[in-house]
Amino acid sequence: LSNAIYSQNFSVSSQDATPQDVIFNNDGTKMFVLGDSNNDIFEYNLSTGFDVSSASYSQNFSLDSQETGPFGVAFNTDGTKMFIVGADGNVYYYSLSTGFDVSTLSYQSSFSVSSQTTYPTGITFNTDGTSMFIVTSNEDKVFQYTLTTGFDISTASYSSKSFSTSS
């Protein structure tokens, strides 16, 4: 990061005033922004992969039925599963019948992480989905969960492993 140079920006304020997270599909031609103001996931198309100056708004999906304080989003590798984590202490799983297309989202299930944290703010997985990581802002920790079936949160359990970020 010491060599990072500001390049460009793209405003998402027309869709949401409080964006919380951003993630891209594998080739960078789609960008997803998690919005807290509207509790939506917003999809943008990029004509040049990972170049936000080429982004254009495509569509959104409301998360209000499950999470009213979304902070983190993750996808599985082919984009057919999406996971949201937020203020209520749950991980929400949505299936996508077409990978990385939010118009095909369908809510499936949830997994509580509230025994470890009361304020999860981020989520990510290892490549095969057998480890899930939840970051928090109030405990200043990263918690690790083991999934016996990759990207299947119904098989998740807390691995009793955490890492402090307080220093």
Side-chain angles (χ1 to χ4, degrees):
L1 290 176
S2 64
N3 295 325
I5 299 170
Y6 172 78
S7 175
Q8 55 200 330
N9 68 55
F10 176 77
S11 177
V12 297
S13 61
S14 296
Q15 286 77 48
D16 199 280
T18 317
Q20 296 296 315
D21 200 2
V22 62
I23 192 167
F24 293 84
N25 69 345
N26 300 328
D27 65 5
T29 57
K30 287 193 176 187
M31 176 175 73
F32 302 89
V33 174
L34 189 60
D36 189 30
S37 296
N38 297 314
N39 305 320
D40 285 5
I41 183 79
F42 297 93
E43 180 182 316
Y44 300 84
N45 294 318
L46 285 76
S47 56
T48 303
F50 299 104
D51 181 350
V52 296
S53 70
S54 72
S56 61
Y57 172 72
S58 176
Q59 56 193 336
N60 66 293
F61 180 86
S62 175
L63 306 167
D64 271 334
S65 296
Q66 286 76 46
E67 178 62 70
T68 58
F71 294 123
V73 59
F75 285 93
N76 70 341
T77 51
D78 67 2
T80 57
K81 293 183 177 187
M82 183 181 82
F83 305 89
I84 300 290
V85 68
D88 73 354
N90 288 311
V91 174
Y92 293 98
Y93 156 53
Y94 299 81
S95 64
L96 293 85
S97 56
T98 302
F100 297 109
D101 181 348
V102 300
S103 71
T104 68
L105 276 169
S106 176
Y107 171 71
Q108 299 299 314
S109 64
S110 65
F111 173 78
S112 177
V113 295
S114 60
S115 293
Q116 288 73 50
T117 179
T118 56
Y119 205 71
T121 54
I123 182 172
T124 195
F125 291 83
N126 69 343
T127 306
D128 66 4
T130 57
S131 288
M132 177 175 71
F133 304 90
I134 302 293
V135 65
T136 71
S137 60
N138 60 342
E139 288 96 358
D140 298 326
K141 287 186 178 177
V142 176
F143 294 97
Q144 182 175 353
Y145 298 81
T146 301
L147 289 77
T148 55
T149 303
F151 297 105
D152 182 350
I153 61 170
S154 71
T155 68
S157 62
Y158 178 52
S159 67
S160 299
K161 296 178 183 177
S162 65
F163 175 77
S164 175
T165 59
S166 62
S167 61

